[in-house]
Each structure stands twice: as C-alpha cells, then as structure tokens.
Amino acid sequence: MPVAELLRRHPDAWRGATAHPFLQAVADGSLPPAAFDTWLVQDARFVADLLRFQARLLARAPRPAQAVLAGGAVALVEELAWFEQQAAARGLDLTAPARPATAAYAELLDRLDRADVPTALTALWTIERTYLDAWSAAAPGAPAYRAFVEHWTVPAFAGYVAGLEEAADAAGGSDDALFLEVVAAETAFWQMAVDA
C-alpha cells in the first residue's frame, strides 16, 4: 500500500495534526509570541534529534533512498543554523530543557532508530509530510508569523517530502499503528506550545 494511503485511512488523526489550534492561531495572529517562542525552542531540539536519527538511517538505507536522505540531512544542518539565528534575534535560549512532548518524541525517534528501514522511512515521511501540510494549512500566516510559514512551505521542502514518499513506497513501508503514533506525537508537540 502506498504510504499516502495512510492519510486517507486516518483522516481524523491527520486533521488533528495538520489543522491544530496552534496552526490556526499562527494563521490568524492570535497565538501569543511566548507560545510560539516555546514551540520554536522545542522544535530546534527536535530537529537536532531528527538529524541524528536521519544520519543513522542514511547509513543503513537502500541505495535508491540515500540521495533524498542525504539531502534532507544537509537541510537539517542548515535548519539548525537558521534556528540559532532566529533564537539570537528573538532572545531565546536553545539550551532550555526538553518539555515532555519533546522528550517523548526523542524516545520515539530512538525506537525508530532500531526499526527496520521500511518502518523508519515511513515514519520519516510521516514526520515531514505532517510538517509540510500543517504549515501549508497555516499559510500565508499572520504578519508576525508569515516569514516562518514561508520558510516551512518552500517548494524545495515539498519536493523533499515527495522524494521521501517515493523512498518509503519503494521500500515497502506502510504501517497504520506507526503512522498514528507519529501523528499523535506531532499533535502533542503543537499542543505543548498552546499549553505553555
């Protein structure tokens, strides 16, 4: 089954992760800056964890998947530098402790690091597809957040997500329980900022 079929099989869970109140508040400008800053710091921590996971996945992935994974790893390195710039501009401390949702996501990535390659590729595609669809739904974003929304919806990112989908499909990945677990982690991550 193509991994994109997972979106159609679980529409309510998908909607919860890609149309979360956090994203709606980014779109209409009602999100308090402190909540966004909390999310931004935690997302920087998540990206660092994701980079470690993705680098190890690259090392064990089938040859056809390596180019998209390598490109994604380079993009994550660049993303971490961008987070550092944003943190400096906003006066944020990227060494702040991980919140429970962030720590739980890191544990999920650790488990996925031990999963078979098709499972890990499906999870990575789910993570990135959720992110793309979520920020696309928030576009263009309220003026205070528009530059961030634009940053996470560039055509190159959409192309990367499409490449991950091809890699996951080619590897034979498709796991309903895993998909739902990743989508739940994404939903909890948005909620963490709303509850901050």
Side-chain angles (χ1 to χ4, degrees):
M1 174 180 75
V3 290
E5 183 63 25
L6 293 164
L7 308 181
R8 291 182 282 279
R9 290 166 64 101
H10 305 287
D12 293 339
W14 188 246
R15 197 173 312 102
T18 59
H20 190 275
F22 173 90
L23 298 156
Q24 294 166 0
V26 165
D28 66 23
S30 63
L31 185 72
F36 185 79
D37 288 348
T38 294
W39 178 86
L40 198 64
V41 168
Q42 295 300 306
D43 199 45
R45 293 186 69 96
F46 170 76
V47 168
D49 292 335
L50 184 63
L51 175 58
R52 284 187 289 276
F53 163 73
Q54 188 155 333
R56 290 187 294 260
L57 178 57
L58 168 60
R60 62 193 181 102
R63 181 71 187 98
Q66 288 176 338
V68 70
L69 291 171
V74 169
L76 290 174
V77 170
E78 293 168 355
E79 185 80 348
L80 287 172
W82 180 84
F83 272 114
E84 290 162 358
Q85 293 168 354
Q86 299 306 312
R90 296 174 79 90
L92 304 177
D93 178 9
L94 293 181
T95 66
R99 297 210 172 212
T102 311
Y105 218 146
E107 290 172 11
L108 173 57
L109 289 173
D110 283 344
R111 279 190 286 119
L112 290 168
D113 202 22
R114 297 183 297 275
D116 60 63
V117 170
T119 297
L121 283 170
T122 298
L124 180 58
W125 169 78
T126 303
I127 290 165
E128 299 292 27
R129 177 67 188 264
T130 305
Y131 209 73
L132 176 62
D133 285 13
W135 287 110
S136 296
Y145 303 118
R146 187 158 298 152
F148 294 95
V149 174
E150 289 172 355
H151 177 79
W152 292 311
T153 56
V154 294
F157 183 49
Y160 168 62
V161 173
L164 287 176
E165 182 176 339
E166 289 176 22
D169 284 345
S174 184
D175 182 322
D176 288 87
L178 170 71
F179 174 82
L180 290 171
E181 186 175 8
V182 171
V183 168
E186 289 285 337
T187 304
F189 206 84
W190 303 124
Q191 190 62 41
M192 166 265 303
V194 172
D195 294 341

